[in-house]
Amino acid sequence: MVHSRNKGAAGERELAREIGRIFRCSARRGQQFCGSPDSPDVVTSIPGVHLECKRTERFQLYAALEQATRDAGEASVPVVCHRQNRQ
């Protein structure tokens, strides 16, 4: 459990760096500032986007999209980003 939590946190930090670099915006890990369980994995200055980060070997697209859609609510567009280990 601890290993997967650390891997998830590292993936969120990595995604925040990449989103900030690609879109030239501010981006940070969502949970690091006492976020709620339904807060986005990565918080950005891009309005109306809910980012969900999945760092897993066995990616389950529909489950990830369902979670992101549920957590995004009506006001945001759900976006799921995925990367396997060593890829």
Side-chain angles (χ1 to χ4, degrees):
M1 178 78 170
V2 173
H3 176 68
S4 64
R5 191 176 323 163
N6 290 341
K7 183 171 73 169
E12 291 165 5
R13 287 189 295 271
E14 177 184 26
L15 178 59
R17 281 191 304 273
E18 286 300 303
I19 292 292
R21 182 183 67 80
I22 293 167
F23 294 103
R24 299 190 190 285
C25 66
S26 64
R28 63 171 170 79
R29 184 170 171 245
Q31 292 286 329
Q32 68 188 357
F33 293 102
C34 301
S36 65
D38 62 342
S39 67
D41 290 340
V42 175
V43 177
T44 71
S45 58
I46 303 169
V49 174
H50 177 93
L51 288 169
E52 190 69 36
C53 178
K54 296 296 181 188
R55 178 91 178 268
T56 179
E57 293 299 309
R58 296 184 186 152
F59 181 57
Q60 297 178 340
L61 174 62
Y62 295 107
L65 284 173
E66 184 178 305
Q67 178 187 355
T69 300
R70 181 181 62 244
D71 291 352
E74 296 287 321
S76 296
V77 175
V79 176
V80 176
C81 301
H82 168 258
R83 182 173 80 77
Q84 286 182 314
N85 294 334
R86 300 173 294 282
Q87 297 294 322

